[in-house]
Amino acid sequence: MNMASHKDIEFVIFDVDGLMIDSERVYTDVTNEILAQYGAEMTWEMKAGLMGKPQRPAAEHLLSFFPKIPLTIDDYLAQRTAGQDARWPYVQLLPGVARLVTHLAAHGIPIAIATGSVRRNFERKTAHLQHVFVHFGGYAVCGDDGAGRGKPFPDVFLAAARALGRAVGPNEEGDVVGDAEREERARGLVFEDAIPGVQAGKRAGMNVVWVPDENLLSVQSSQVTEQPDQVLRSLEGFVPEEWGLPPYDDMVAQQSRTE
């Protein structure tokens, strides 16, 4: 799917977990270590409903599948936090992320982060990856920053756009948004890996590139009610000029040599 050829993007917003860093593997491993104590396991069908949500609603959703397990939401979150904190210093960037972020920053394209993660977790996940995350210049909206409702609501993406100085208006969607605000929102591009994030981006009136895990694509592609504008297997497949963004410098050089 590719609906990008007519777009003219002026600002870009990134999700983090599963899109920029390989943290979804950590979430899965830690959660299943906790559930294994009770002879249970999280399937991909269950995980699909958790991705992109703030941590407490996600925990409530997960534990709803295991009503007989004597584990409170607070106990689960405490165990999960401890297991994740031990792994965050080793989480790696996903393919294509460093190249895209550094390229956009080098060309002066405004970029921001919009994540459902609480700020303490975001900082722990990215502290060792500052050679990439430094390019965001502090423009990061986290799940506990008071931006509004979590994904699939549009609030976090609109807050990130406002942080970049874009006149996108309040956390509203549909007919209540003015024409000028709607046009401004349409100048934004969102990168997401989770279904609630795709929904949030589209409800924010922005363009969305969906980069799902193959497991997610197989279990939930039919449930995408708000369709993304493009689907990629990896950010390595992103072509900036299809969106009115500057082409990668090495591609420009290669084209010059062939002319």
Side-chain angles (χ1 to χ4, degrees):
M1 179 187 300
N2 187 345
M3 300 167 62
S5 58
H6 64 290
K7 304 296 183 180
D8 189 11
I9 296 303
E10 296 183 5
F11 64 96
V12 180
I13 303 176
F14 291 79
D15 176 47
V16 176
D17 292 302
L19 185 280
M20 297 186 70
I21 59 176
D22 193 17
S23 51
E24 289 298 340
R25 186 191 310 272
V26 173
Y27 287 128
T28 299
D29 291 347
V30 170
T31 293
N32 278 332
E33 286 176 8
I34 296 170
L35 294 176
Q37 303 173 68
Y38 306 96
E41 182 179 22
M42 177 179 65
T43 66
W44 257 100
E45 286 78 4
M46 297 175 188
K47 182 179 174 68
L50 312 179
M51 295 175 67
K53 291 183 178 180
Q55 65 174 1
R56 194 168 191 90
E60 292 173 352
H61 184 73
L62 173 68
L63 294 180
S64 70
F65 291 102
F66 307 103
K68 296 183 179 180
I69 289 180
L71 185 65
T72 67
I73 293 172
D74 289 334
D75 287 342
Y76 164 74
L77 289 175
Q79 292 185 45
R80 194 186 75 156
T81 296
Q84 291 172 354
D85 283 354
R87 291 168 167 82
W88 292 144
Y90 308 101
V91 71
Q92 297 298 308
L93 293 169
L94 287 166
V97 171
R99 184 190 189 202
L100 177 56
V101 171
T102 55
H103 170 73
L104 294 175
H107 286 273
I109 305 301
I111 56 176
I113 286 169
T115 174
S117 286
V118 297
R119 186 159 292 276
R120 75 166 298 276
N121 290 347
F122 169 71
E123 292 174 350
R124 282 165 171 76
K125 296 170 191 175
T126 61
H128 61 297
L129 300 171
Q130 286 305 300
H131 62 291
V132 169
F133 283 90
V134 70
H135 293 298
F136 288 93
Y139 292 116
V141 178
C142 296
D144 58 344
D145 285 350
R149 303 160 295 179
K151 303 172 187 178
F153 294 99
D155 303 19
V156 67
F157 288 122
L158 294 171
R162 287 193 296 269
L164 291 174
R166 313 301 301 199
V168 295
N171 295 341
E172 303 290 347
E173 53 187 295
D175 294 337
V176 299
V177 180
D179 290 342
E181 294 169 346
R182 187 175 293 107
E183 291 174 3
E184 181 75 344
R185 295 179 183 198
R187 298 184 180 105
L189 178 62
V190 166
F191 287 103
E192 261 289 353
D193 72 305
I195 300 296
V198 171
Q199 294 173 310
K202 294 305 295 183
R203 292 174 185 178
M206 300 178 189
N207 306 277
V208 178
V209 175
W210 187 30
V211 191
D213 185 287
E214 288 187 8
N215 292 291
L216 179 63
L217 192 62
S218 64
V219 302
Q220 202 168 349
S221 60
S222 62
Q223 299 183 32
V224 185
T225 54
E226 286 87 354
Q227 291 296 319
D229 298 274
Q230 187 176 49
V231 180
L232 298 176
R233 297 175 66 89
S234 163
L235 282 180
E236 289 181 309
F238 181 70
V239 181
E241 56 267 37
E242 290 182 350
W243 296 88
L245 295 166
Y248 284 120
D249 298 332
D250 55 347
M251 298 303 296
V252 173
Q254 181 180 350
Q255 183 178 1
S256 298
R257 289 194 297 270
T258 60
E259 292 178 350

